[in-house]
Amino acid sequence: KAGVTQTPRYLIKTRGQQVTLSCSPISGHRSVSWYQQTPGQGLQFLFEYFSETQRNKGNFPGRFSGRQFSNSRSEMNVSTLELGDSALYLCASSPRGRDSPLHFGNGTRLTVT
Amino acid sequence: DQQVKQNSPSLSVQEGRISILNCDYTNSMFDYFLWYKKYPAEGPTFLISISSIKDKNEDGRFTVFLNKSAKHLSLHIVPSQPGDSAVYFCAAHGGATNKLIFGTGTLLAVQP
């Protein structure tokens, strides 16, 4: 079974631009979550989608948004990029959510210059 | 407010010995706990989990212990192998959502 696939692996953007990251979950998994990893803050929850609906959202500004499609694939968008948005963005999927472990992709490394 | 804490940023162990990684939490609503291993440039890999209705769960060389009264969990790796060298994160969630709260990680180095 293929794992969680995230594209692209690396991205360099300049301040003020916007970016879209993509995630394909494990086949059959309906829950997709996004996390931001930075050296100072560790792994921080961004949001979770289940059956195309946002089920939970972390403490990030509205510049961070996402969506999930009917095939469970998900995208995350960050608008008006800031230097502090430089991070590893991780997508994770699970079959149903509660009490099932998240399976992570290898992430997208975003650098904002 | 750090609800999940891993107070040891690093740990060094000899090959073949036991590795014990610790994690403390503050939120009594947490009822499901997980351990992940992370190599550089890769995403975290799920290792083992435990529900709050249990106090121990084993999977091969990995055992997780949960002490609810102390709000403490630990991961034991026996015997430790050089390939176990990685950053280990504990994570927790509770309530109706799948939102995981992660600790800051412990870098384990297993010396041959």
XYZ file of all heavy atoms in Angstrom, chain B:
873
model
N 1.441 27.322 26.346
C 1.395 26.301 27.392
C 1.679 24.930 26.778
O 0.922 24.441 25.961
C 0.021 26.312 28.062
C -0.116 25.217 29.094
O 0.901 24.884 29.724
O -1.217 24.693 29.266
N 2.791 24.322 27.202
C 3.207 23.045 26.648
C 2.472 21.931 27.383
O 2.811 21.599 28.519
C 4.733 22.897 26.801
C 5.333 21.761 26.040
C 5.335 21.992 24.538
O 5.331 23.111 24.056
N 5.310 20.912 23.794
N 1.464 21.335 26.740
C 0.662 20.320 27.407
C 1.338 18.946 27.410
O 0.956 18.079 28.196
C -0.704 20.202 26.740
C -1.538 21.480 26.821
C -2.901 21.247 26.230
O -3.731 20.532 26.801
N -3.152 21.850 25.083
N 2.268 18.744 26.498
C 3.015 17.486 26.429
C 4.493 17.838 26.460
O 4.965 18.614 25.627
C 2.684 16.695 25.149
C 3.496 15.418 25.074
C 1.192 16.389 25.091
N 5.201 17.280 27.440
C 6.590 17.675 27.642
C 7.531 16.486 27.593
O 7.266 15.447 28.212
C 6.760 18.363 29.000
C 5.955 19.621 29.160
C 6.135 20.203 30.555
C 5.205 21.391 30.747
N 5.315 21.983 32.094
N 8.612 16.661 26.881
C 9.699 15.697 26.902
C 10.910 16.462 27.415
O 11.494 17.264 26.705
C 9.959 15.123 25.496
C 8.802 14.280 24.993
C 9.010 13.795 23.574
O 8.432 14.329 22.637
N 9.840 12.764 23.415
N 11.238 16.219 28.672
C 12.225 17.054 29.333
C 13.667 16.741 28.971
O 14.568 17.527 29.255
C 12.033 16.958 30.850
C 10.726 17.620 31.282
O 10.359 18.683 30.788
N 10.005 16.964 32.185
N 13.888 15.576 28.357
C 15.253 15.236 27.960
C 15.413 15.480 26.471
O 14.874 14.734 25.667
C 15.555 13.765 28.276
O 15.459 13.524 29.652
N 16.175 16.484 26.070
C 16.351 16.742 24.648
C 17.162 15.647 23.961
O 17.031 15.439 22.763
C 17.109 18.062 24.580
C 17.282 18.538 25.958
C 16.831 17.480 26.906
N 18.005 14.943 24.729
C 18.828 13.912 24.104
C 19.121 12.802 25.099
O 19.043 12.983 26.320
C 20.140 14.510 23.574
O 20.895 15.033 24.632
N 19.450 11.621 24.526
C 19.747 10.443 25.336
C 20.739 9.598 24.548
O 20.564 9.375 23.349
C 18.464 9.648 25.587
C 18.578 8.317 26.314
C 18.990 8.542 27.763
C 17.246 7.561 26.264
N 21.774 9.123 25.231
C 22.756 8.259 24.584
C 22.796 6.917 25.301
O 22.867 6.874 26.536
C 24.147 8.919 24.624
O 25.088 8.116 23.939
N 22.738 5.825 24.526
C 22.653 4.478 25.091
C 23.582 3.554 24.309
O 23.761 3.743 23.092
C 21.196 3.968 25.006
C 21.076 2.511 25.355
C 20.298 4.802 25.897
N 24.118 2.559 24.987
C 24.943 1.558 24.306
C 24.064 0.524 23.617
O 22.983 0.159 24.130
C 25.847 0.847 25.307
C 27.012 1.690 25.816
C 28.005 2.007 24.713
O 28.241 3.174 24.431
N 28.564 0.981 24.107
N 24.528 0.079 22.466
C 23.828 -0.978 21.742
C 23.585 -2.180 22.658
O 24.466 -2.579 23.432
C 24.661 -1.410 20.537
C 24.017 -2.489 19.681
C 24.857 -2.866 18.474
O 25.995 -2.341 18.337
O 24.398 -3.670 17.653
N 22.369 -2.734 22.579
C 22.023 -3.896 23.387
C 21.398 -3.555 24.732
O 20.756 -4.404 25.353
N 21.583 -2.318 25.184
C 21.011 -1.905 26.469
C 19.585 -1.408 26.267
O 19.096 -1.295 25.157
C 21.863 -0.796 27.079
C 23.299 -1.190 27.368
C 23.392 -2.169 28.518
N 24.742 -2.301 29.034
C 25.162 -1.816 30.195
N 24.351 -1.140 30.963
N 26.402 -2.016 30.581
N 18.935 -1.060 27.370
C 17.577 -0.524 27.324
C 17.619 0.991 27.126
O 18.438 1.684 27.727
C 16.792 -0.890 28.601
C 15.355 -0.408 28.512
C 17.477 -0.322 29.834
C 14.450 -0.910 29.653
N 16.747 1.496 26.264
C 16.526 2.935 26.128
C 15.187 3.251 26.765
O 14.193 2.566 26.491
C 16.485 3.360 24.655
O 17.723 3.187 24.022
N 15.158 4.282 27.614
C 13.911 4.699 28.246
C 13.695 6.167 27.931
O 14.498 7.027 28.312
C 13.946 4.493 29.775
C 14.155 3.014 30.095
C 12.632 4.994 30.396
C 14.284 2.712 31.580
N 12.620 6.437 27.200
C 12.283 7.811 26.851
C 11.028 8.198 27.623
O 10.067 7.437 27.691
C 12.045 7.944 25.344
C 13.289 7.650 24.501
C 13.167 6.304 23.823
C 13.507 8.739 23.479
N 11.044 9.393 28.189
C 9.965 9.824 29.069
C 9.164 10.976 28.505
O 9.670 11.782 27.718
C 10.549 10.238 30.427
C 11.157 9.067 31.162
O 10.489 8.070 31.415
N 12.428 9.170 31.494
N 7.925 11.057 28.962
C 7.008 12.081 28.474
C 6.013 12.391 29.592
O 5.500 11.463 30.249
C 6.291 11.543 27.239
S 5.110 12.658 26.484
N 5.755 13.664 29.839
C 4.762 14.085 30.830
C 3.689 14.926 30.153
O 3.973 15.638 29.183
C 5.429 14.916 31.933
C 6.464 14.125 32.699
O 6.052 13.140 33.354
O 7.643 14.462 32.627
N 2.489 14.840 30.670
C 1.407 15.650 30.118
C 0.634 16.304 31.240
O 0.689 15.874 32.393
C 0.498 14.811 29.206
C -0.212 13.666 29.887
C -1.521 13.799 30.363
C 0.413 12.431 30.047
C -2.180 12.750 30.965
C -0.237 11.374 30.646
C -1.522 11.537 31.112
O -2.173 10.492 31.724
N -0.079 17.369 30.895
C -0.783 18.117 31.927
C -2.300 18.028 31.796
O -3.008 18.258 32.767
C -0.379 19.600 31.880
O -0.667 20.118 30.566
C 1.106 19.771 32.172
N -2.796 17.690 30.620
C -4.241 17.710 30.375
C -4.849 16.346 30.728
O -4.595 15.344 30.056
C -4.491 18.045 28.899
C -5.948 18.333 28.600
O -6.843 17.870 29.303
N -6.190 19.088 27.554
N -5.679 16.315 31.749
C -6.271 15.049 32.182
C -7.322 14.530 31.200
O -7.804 13.404 31.334
C -6.897 15.211 33.572
O -7.847 16.250 33.546
N -7.676 15.342 30.192
C -8.630 14.889 29.180
C -7.980 14.018 28.104
O -8.667 13.377 27.326
C -9.301 16.096 28.504
C -10.136 16.948 29.433
S -11.499 16.000 30.135
C -12.495 15.733 28.677
N -6.667 14.010 28.056
C -5.987 13.165 27.068
C -6.300 11.703 27.362
O -6.206 11.254 28.508
C -4.473 13.380 27.109
C -4.021 14.693 26.554
C -2.853 15.286 27.021
C -4.726 15.346 25.562
C -2.411 16.500 26.519
C -4.302 16.558 25.057
C -3.144 17.142 25.538
N -6.670 10.945 26.324
C -7.003 9.548 26.560
C -6.375 8.600 25.546
O -6.684 7.402 25.539
C -8.526 9.361 26.584
C -9.186 9.788 25.285
O -8.474 10.156 24.330
O -10.430 9.760 25.228
N -5.524 9.130 24.682
C -4.862 8.268 23.700
C -3.487 8.848 23.463
O -3.355 10.058 23.219
C -5.688 8.244 22.407
C -5.202 7.297 21.334
C -5.087 5.936 21.573
C -4.885 7.768 20.059
C -4.664 5.075 20.583
C -4.463 6.909 19.061
C -4.353 5.565 19.330
O -3.934 4.703 18.341
N -2.471 7.986 23.558
C -1.096 8.443 23.518
C -0.317 7.643 22.476
O -0.559 6.435 22.313
C -0.441 8.287 24.896
C -1.190 8.982 25.985
C -2.212 8.341 26.664
C -0.881 10.290 26.336
C -2.927 8.983 27.664
C -1.582 10.946 27.334
C -2.606 10.298 27.997
N 0.607 8.319 21.810
C 1.352 7.672 20.733
C 2.825 8.054 20.823
O 3.167 9.127 21.327
C 0.814 8.117 19.361
C -0.682 8.015 19.096
C -1.401 9.302 19.473
C -0.948 7.699 17.630
N 3.646 7.192 20.276
C 5.067 7.490 20.099
C 5.401 7.406 18.611
O 4.979 6.484 17.904
C 5.947 6.513 20.865
C 6.002 6.772 22.340
C 5.225 6.208 23.299
C 6.890 7.664 23.012
N 5.570 6.698 24.529
C 6.590 7.588 24.388
C 7.918 8.530 22.598
C 7.278 8.342 25.355
C 8.596 9.274 23.542
C 8.278 9.164 24.906
N 6.180 8.395 18.167
C 6.629 8.439 16.782
C 8.148 8.551 16.774
O 8.758 9.139 17.665
C 6.050 9.652 16.043
C 4.599 9.522 15.661
C 3.586 9.827 16.555
C 4.250 9.071 14.389
C 2.255 9.704 16.192
C 2.922 8.955 14.008
C 1.929 9.273 14.916
O 0.621 9.133 14.548
N 8.741 8.008 15.715
C 10.174 8.121 15.485
C 10.376 8.945 14.228
O 9.638 8.782 13.246
C 10.769 6.715 15.304
C 12.237 6.701 14.972
C 12.788 5.277 15.042
C 12.417 4.444 13.862
N 13.149 3.147 13.877
N 11.383 9.812 14.241
C 11.598 10.663 13.072
C 13.091 10.712 12.710
O 13.922 11.069 13.544
C 11.074 12.078 13.319
C 11.097 12.947 12.060
C 10.545 14.312 12.327
C 10.467 15.118 11.039
N 11.755 15.299 10.366
N 13.374 10.347 11.456
C 14.710 10.530 10.896
C 14.735 11.866 10.175
O 13.697 12.377 9.738
C 15.045 9.415 9.900
C 15.142 8.043 10.500
C 14.253 7.027 10.124
C 16.125 7.725 11.430
C 14.358 5.748 10.650
C 16.229 6.454 11.971
C 15.338 5.477 11.579
O 15.437 4.214 12.104
N 15.921 12.467 10.032
C 16.031 13.729 9.291
C 15.470 13.587 7.879
O 15.631 12.555 7.240
C 17.547 13.983 9.260
C 18.095 13.234 10.421
C 17.222 12.020 10.566
N 14.818 14.626 7.417
C 14.276 14.704 6.052
C 13.172 13.687 5.780
O 12.826 13.432 4.622
C 15.380 14.572 5.007
N 12.629 13.084 6.838
C 11.489 12.183 6.667
C 10.373 12.606 7.616
O 10.602 13.306 8.602
C 11.872 10.733 6.974
C 12.852 10.138 5.986
C 13.117 8.668 6.284
O 12.401 8.080 7.114
O 14.066 8.119 5.684
N 9.166 12.146 7.319
C 8.074 12.388 8.240
C 8.134 11.451 9.433
O 8.824 10.432 9.403
N 7.439 11.787 10.515
C 7.403 10.881 11.681
C 6.790 9.539 11.310
O 5.844 9.480 10.530
C 6.514 11.634 12.677
C 6.527 13.066 12.225
C 6.658 13.020 10.753
N 7.329 8.491 11.891
C 6.825 7.132 11.678
C 6.185 6.637 12.969
O 6.811 6.681 14.023
C 7.971 6.178 11.293
O 8.597 6.660 10.102
C 7.454 4.764 11.049
N 4.962 6.158 12.853
C 4.242 5.660 14.035
C 4.933 4.425 14.594
O 5.294 3.512 13.855
C 2.801 5.327 13.663
C 2.060 4.565 14.727
C 1.694 5.197 15.906
C 1.747 3.229 14.552
C 1.011 4.488 16.891
C 1.075 2.523 15.531
C 0.710 3.155 16.708
N 5.115 4.398 15.925
C 5.748 3.259 16.590
C 4.752 2.425 17.369
O 4.593 1.230 17.140
C 6.820 3.754 17.559
C 8.190 4.091 17.007
C 9.049 4.662 18.124
C 8.854 2.869 16.396
N 4.090 3.058 18.332
C 3.240 2.336 19.254
C 2.299 3.327 19.918
O 2.615 4.512 20.039
C 4.106 1.584 20.302
C 3.285 0.579 21.095
C 4.851 2.554 21.213
C 4.130 -0.383 21.929
N 1.140 2.829 20.329
C 0.176 3.697 20.996
C -0.385 2.994 22.222
O -0.211 1.784 22.407
C -0.959 4.070 20.039
O -1.688 2.914 19.648
N -1.078 3.773 23.050
C -1.732 3.207 24.223
C -2.963 4.032 24.551
O -2.936 5.269 24.476
C -0.767 3.128 25.426
C -1.405 2.365 26.580
C -0.326 4.522 25.877
C -0.413 1.960 27.671
N -4.026 3.342 24.887
C -5.245 3.996 25.320
C -5.192 4.182 26.824
O -4.534 3.412 27.527
C -6.439 3.128 24.926
O -7.587 3.516 25.629
N -5.919 5.165 27.317
C -5.876 5.449 28.752
C -6.510 4.348 29.606
O -6.386 4.364 30.821
C -6.553 6.782 29.052
O -7.898 6.752 28.652
N -7.187 3.396 28.971
C -7.769 2.295 29.752
C -6.737 1.216 30.052
O -7.001 0.273 30.786
C -8.991 1.673 29.042
C -8.584 1.047 27.706
C -10.078 2.710 28.863
C -9.730 0.275 27.061
N -5.541 1.349 29.457
C -4.470 0.388 29.688
C -3.319 1.082 30.412
O -3.226 2.305 30.424
C -3.953 -0.168 28.363
C -4.950 -1.009 27.595
C -4.274 -1.607 26.377
C -5.176 -2.595 25.677
N -4.502 -3.215 24.519
N -2.407 0.277 30.985
C -1.211 0.874 31.544
C 0.066 0.360 30.876
O 1.162 0.818 31.190
C -1.133 0.655 33.070
C -1.268 -0.806 33.441
O -1.069 -1.676 32.571
O -1.568 -1.085 34.621
N -0.100 -0.555 29.918
C 1.068 -1.093 29.233
C 0.644 -1.622 27.873
O -0.422 -2.221 27.729
C 1.669 -2.223 30.079
C 2.864 -2.930 29.458
C 3.326 -4.054 30.389
C 4.404 -4.902 29.733
N 4.834 -6.027 30.609
N 1.522 -1.409 26.879
C 1.297 -1.996 25.572
C 2.655 -2.354 24.977
O 3.589 -1.567 25.031
C 0.555 -1.014 24.648
C 0.113 -1.668 23.357
O -0.068 -2.876 23.287
N -0.065 -0.871 22.313
N 2.728 -3.583 24.442
C 3.998 -4.070 23.896
C 3.893 -4.358 22.421
O 2.863 -4.848 21.945
C 4.362 -5.411 24.570
C 5.075 -5.307 25.879
C 5.454 -6.685 26.397
O 6.539 -7.172 26.046
O 4.660 -7.259 27.148
N 4.989 -4.112 21.705
C 5.064 -4.479 20.296
C 6.527 -4.757 19.985
O 7.304 -3.839 19.726
C 4.521 -3.364 19.411
C 4.472 -3.771 17.941
O 4.859 -4.916 17.608
O 4.040 -2.945 17.109
N 6.876 -6.025 20.043
C 8.261 -6.398 19.772
C 9.211 -5.806 20.792
O 9.054 -6.007 21.999
N 10.196 -5.057 20.305
C 11.187 -4.460 21.218
C 10.664 -3.210 21.923
O 11.355 -2.650 22.778
C 12.447 -4.093 20.423
C 13.177 -5.272 19.807
C 14.485 -4.871 19.152
N 14.290 -3.927 18.061
C 14.726 -2.665 18.065
N 15.386 -2.187 19.119
N 14.518 -1.880 17.027
N 9.488 -2.745 21.552
C 8.947 -1.489 22.078
C 7.820 -1.753 23.072
O 6.901 -2.528 22.796
C 8.423 -0.620 20.929
C 9.470 -0.299 19.898
C 9.619 -1.094 18.765
C 10.317 0.779 20.068
C 10.595 -0.806 17.818
C 11.286 1.086 19.117
C 11.427 0.286 17.996
N 7.905 -1.091 24.228
C 6.850 -1.156 25.236
C 6.562 0.255 25.709
O 7.493 1.015 26.012
C 7.276 -2.017 26.439
O 7.623 -3.326 25.977
C 6.133 -2.133 27.444
N 5.287 0.587 25.771
C 4.896 1.884 26.313
C 4.169 1.654 27.631
O 3.321 0.759 27.745
C 4.027 2.692 25.313
C 2.796 1.929 24.881
C 3.647 4.043 25.894
N 4.539 2.440 28.636
C 3.917 2.391 29.950
C 3.192 3.713 30.194
O 3.732 4.775 29.885
C 4.978 2.189 31.048
C 5.675 0.866 30.972
C 6.861 0.729 30.254
C 5.164 -0.252 31.624
C 7.529 -0.486 30.189
C 5.817 -1.471 31.558
C 6.999 -1.588 30.843
N 1.995 3.610 30.771
C 1.221 4.805 31.087
C 0.882 4.826 32.566
O 0.302 3.866 33.085
C -0.069 4.840 30.247
C -1.035 5.978 30.537
C -0.387 7.335 30.238
C -2.332 5.806 29.730
N 1.214 5.922 33.218
C 0.870 6.134 34.629
C -0.047 7.341 34.686
O 0.388 8.488 34.671
C 2.139 6.376 35.449
C 1.858 6.550 36.929
O 0.765 6.978 37.321
N 2.823 6.222 37.767
N -1.355 7.061 34.706
C -2.327 8.148 34.624
C -2.291 9.057 35.841
O -2.474 10.263 35.727
C -3.742 7.581 34.428
C -3.958 6.977 33.046
C -5.396 6.550 32.854
C -5.760 5.337 33.689
N -5.013 4.120 33.266
N -2.090 8.496 37.001
C -2.093 9.329 38.209
C -0.938 10.324 38.186
O -1.060 11.446 38.667
C -2.030 8.466 39.462
O -0.850 7.697 39.470
N 0.183 9.919 37.602
C 1.341 10.813 37.501
C 1.350 11.595 36.198
O 2.236 12.433 35.987
C 2.628 10.006 37.627
N 0.407 11.307 35.318
C 0.363 11.928 33.981
C 1.725 11.762 33.297
O 2.350 12.742 32.846
C -0.044 13.400 34.055
C -1.466 13.629 34.546
C -1.876 15.082 34.330
C -3.295 15.321 34.760
N -3.499 15.197 36.212
N 2.154 10.517 33.228
C 3.485 10.211 32.718
C 3.422 8.971 31.851
O 2.731 7.996 32.190
C 4.437 9.971 33.896
C 5.816 9.579 33.494
N 6.787 10.494 33.122
C 6.393 8.355 33.371
C 7.892 9.848 32.804
N 7.680 8.556 32.952
N 4.126 9.025 30.721
C 4.301 7.806 29.942
C 5.757 7.661 29.536
O 6.512 8.647 29.515
C 3.373 7.748 28.724
C 3.509 8.745 27.575
C 2.960 8.110 26.303
C 2.714 9.991 27.866
N 6.121 6.421 29.274
C 7.498 6.156 28.898
C 7.525 5.107 27.790
O 6.624 4.273 27.678
C 8.332 5.695 30.097
O 7.806 4.504 30.644
N 8.559 5.184 26.994
C 8.797 4.211 25.921
C 10.092 3.479 26.239
O 11.122 4.113 26.450
C 8.920 4.925 24.573
C 9.288 4.044 23.374
C 8.163 3.076 23.044
C 9.643 4.910 22.160
N 10.008 2.143 26.300
C 11.181 1.314 26.532
C 11.542 0.595 25.243
O 10.660 -0.017 24.611
C 10.908 0.287 27.637
C 10.722 0.893 28.989
N 11.048 0.222 30.148
C 10.259 2.104 29.379
C 10.780 0.994 31.186
N 10.303 2.140 30.745
N 12.799 0.647 24.884
C 13.285 -0.062 23.703
C 14.353 -1.050 24.176
O 15.381 -0.659 24.730
C 13.911 0.908 22.672
C 12.926 2.029 22.322
C 14.301 0.148 21.404
C 13.532 3.121 21.430
N 14.048 -2.355 23.987
C 14.970 -3.381 24.452
C 15.054 -4.504 23.424
O 14.000 -5.079 23.103
C 14.512 -3.986 25.801
C 15.523 -5.021 26.291
C 14.283 -2.930 26.840
N 16.240 -4.900 22.950
C 17.492 -4.186 23.139
C 17.612 -3.042 22.138
O 17.050 -3.095 21.046
C 18.532 -5.266 22.832
C 17.859 -6.139 21.805
C 16.390 -6.127 22.144
N 18.339 -2.028 22.495
C 18.527 -0.892 21.595
C 19.494 -1.270 20.476
O 20.464 -2.009 20.685
C 19.097 0.306 22.366
O 18.216 0.682 23.409
N 19.211 -0.738 19.284
C 20.041 -1.011 18.119
C 20.476 0.310 17.499
O 19.756 1.309 17.602
C 19.256 -1.833 17.084
C 18.766 -3.160 17.590
C 17.846 -3.872 16.626
O 17.462 -3.324 15.594
N 17.491 -5.112 16.961
N 21.623 0.342 16.803
C 22.062 1.604 16.189
C 21.010 2.207 15.257
O 20.893 3.430 15.175
C 23.331 1.187 15.427
C 23.859 0.033 16.206
C 22.635 -0.710 16.697
N 20.224 1.387 14.592
C 19.173 1.881 13.704
C 18.036 2.585 14.429
O 17.207 3.229 13.799
N 18.015 2.460 15.763
C 16.998 3.159 16.551
C 17.369 4.626 16.750
O 16.556 5.409 17.260
C 16.844 2.505 17.927
C 16.322 1.083 17.841
O 15.569 0.770 16.888
O 16.677 0.265 18.727
N 18.561 5.019 16.386
C 18.995 6.406 16.555
C 18.121 7.321 15.706
O 18.080 7.211 14.480
C 20.468 6.558 16.153
O 21.298 5.768 16.985
N 17.402 8.219 16.376
C 16.434 9.100 15.722
C 15.871 10.043 16.782
O 16.209 9.945 17.957
C 15.301 8.279 15.101
N 14.997 10.938 16.355
C 14.250 11.761 17.312
C 12.927 11.073 17.602
O 12.226 10.634 16.679
C 14.002 13.182 16.757
C 13.166 13.998 17.744
C 15.324 13.891 16.474
N 12.589 10.959 18.870
C 11.350 10.316 19.300
C 10.396 11.370 19.863
O 10.769 12.154 20.743
C 11.636 9.238 20.346
C 12.308 8.034 19.737
C 13.657 8.057 19.421
C 11.582 6.880 19.444
C 14.273 6.960 18.828
C 12.191 5.780 18.856
C 13.542 5.834 18.545
O 14.137 4.757 17.958
N 9.176 11.360 19.337
C 8.144 12.280 19.803
C 7.044 11.501 20.496
O 6.579 10.475 19.987
C 7.513 13.030 18.621
C 8.415 14.008 17.946
C 9.140 13.642 16.817
C 8.538 15.309 18.419
C 9.971 14.539 16.177
C 9.373 16.222 17.778
C 10.088 15.832 16.653
N 6.597 11.985 21.633
C 5.350 11.475 22.175
C 4.245 12.455 21.788
O 4.506 13.641 21.530
C 5.405 11.266 23.683
S 5.568 12.759 24.641
N 3.043 11.945 21.706
C 1.903 12.757 21.292
C 0.666 12.270 22.043
O 0.585 11.110 22.461
C 1.694 12.673 19.781
N -0.301 13.174 22.179
C -1.511 12.827 22.911
C -2.707 13.513 22.286
O -2.571 14.570 21.663
C -1.373 13.247 24.375
N -3.867 12.897 22.442
C -5.099 13.628 22.124
C -6.241 13.178 23.008
O -6.192 12.135 23.663
C -5.438 13.607 20.639
C -6.005 12.337 20.109
N -7.169 11.765 20.551
C -5.576 11.531 19.108
C -7.415 10.684 19.858
N -6.473 10.514 18.981
N -7.254 13.988 23.036
C -8.424 13.673 23.826
C -9.610 14.412 23.263
O -9.477 15.274 22.407
N -10.788 14.056 23.691
C -11.972 14.673 23.140
C -12.375 14.022 21.839
O -11.929 12.932 21.503
N -13.175 14.729 21.098
C -13.788 14.137 19.908
C -12.977 14.309 18.639
O -13.389 13.863 17.584
C -15.172 14.742 19.703
N -11.835 14.939 18.732
C -11.103 15.233 17.498
C -9.853 14.390 17.382
O -9.458 13.691 18.305
C -10.678 16.714 17.442
O -9.548 16.905 18.296
C -11.795 17.619 17.896
N -9.238 14.486 16.226
C -8.021 13.746 15.942
C -6.796 14.635 16.067
O -5.731 14.287 15.596
C -8.102 13.167 14.523
C -7.192 11.967 14.361
O -6.888 11.275 15.321
N -6.749 11.717 13.136
N -6.904 15.774 16.727
C -5.789 16.714 16.857
C -4.779 16.169 17.842
O -5.101 15.889 19.004
C -6.329 18.052 17.352
C -5.266 19.053 17.750
C -5.929 20.316 18.304
C -4.904 21.285 18.832
N -5.550 22.509 19.378
N -3.559 15.985 17.368
C -2.486 15.496 18.222
C -1.676 16.654 18.779
O -1.341 17.601 18.051
C -1.541 14.575 17.439
C -2.004 13.143 17.153
C -0.925 12.396 16.397
C -2.338 12.419 18.440
N -1.353 16.570 20.071
C -0.438 17.507 20.701
C 0.887 16.779 20.884
O 0.928 15.717 21.538
C -0.953 17.973 22.073
C -2.383 18.509 21.954
C -0.018 19.020 22.665
C -2.525 19.741 21.103
N 1.942 17.323 20.310
C 3.244 16.674 20.328
C 4.159 17.263 21.382
O 4.101 18.467 21.686
C 3.938 16.830 18.965
C 3.440 15.877 17.914
C 2.331 16.196 17.141
C 4.082 14.676 17.685
C 1.865 15.325 16.158
C 3.632 13.797 16.716
C 2.528 14.121 15.953
N 5.015 16.413 21.933
C 6.129 16.883 22.734
C 7.202 17.435 21.824
O 7.096 17.366 20.585
N 8.265 17.951 22.418
C 9.319 18.603 21.640
C 10.369 17.629 21.121
O 11.245 18.019 20.370
C 10.008 19.689 22.474
O 10.379 19.116 23.732
C 9.078 20.871 22.713
N 10.276 16.372 21.539
C 11.166 15.366 20.986
C 12.390 15.097 21.833
O 12.886 15.971 22.551
N 12.882 13.851 21.760
C 14.139 13.434 22.391
C 15.000 12.773 21.336
O 14.541 11.834 20.663
C 13.892 12.444 23.544
O 13.149 13.072 24.570
C 15.213 11.937 24.112
N 16.217 13.264 21.193
C 17.151 12.669 20.234
C 17.860 11.493 20.892
O 18.597 11.656 21.865
C 18.173 13.707 19.775
C 19.303 13.192 18.866
C 18.736 12.643 17.566
C 20.318 14.297 18.593
N 17.592 10.293 20.381
C 18.224 9.076 20.903
C 19.412 8.701 20.027
O 19.278 8.616 18.801
C 17.223 7.922 20.922
C 17.787 6.547 21.289
C 18.270 6.532 22.735
C 16.742 5.453 21.069
N 20.556 8.498 20.670
C 21.752 8.032 19.961
C 22.144 6.686 20.559
O 22.416 6.605 21.759
C 22.887 9.036 20.094
N 22.140 5.644 19.743
C 22.537 4.317 20.196
C 23.942 4.049 19.678
O 24.167 3.964 18.467
C 21.556 3.233 19.692
C 21.997 1.859 20.194
C 20.147 3.548 20.154
N 24.854 3.931 20.615
C 26.268 3.766 20.261
C 26.598 2.294 20.043
O 26.257 1.457 20.872
C 27.152 4.317 21.394
C 26.787 5.704 21.861
C 26.996 6.753 20.794
O 27.813 6.568 19.895
N 26.270 7.857 20.905
N 27.281 1.965 18.904
C 27.629 0.560 18.630
C 28.665 0.041 19.646
O 29.402 0.822 20.242
C 28.234 0.601 17.236
C 27.951 1.944 16.689
C 27.665 2.870 17.837
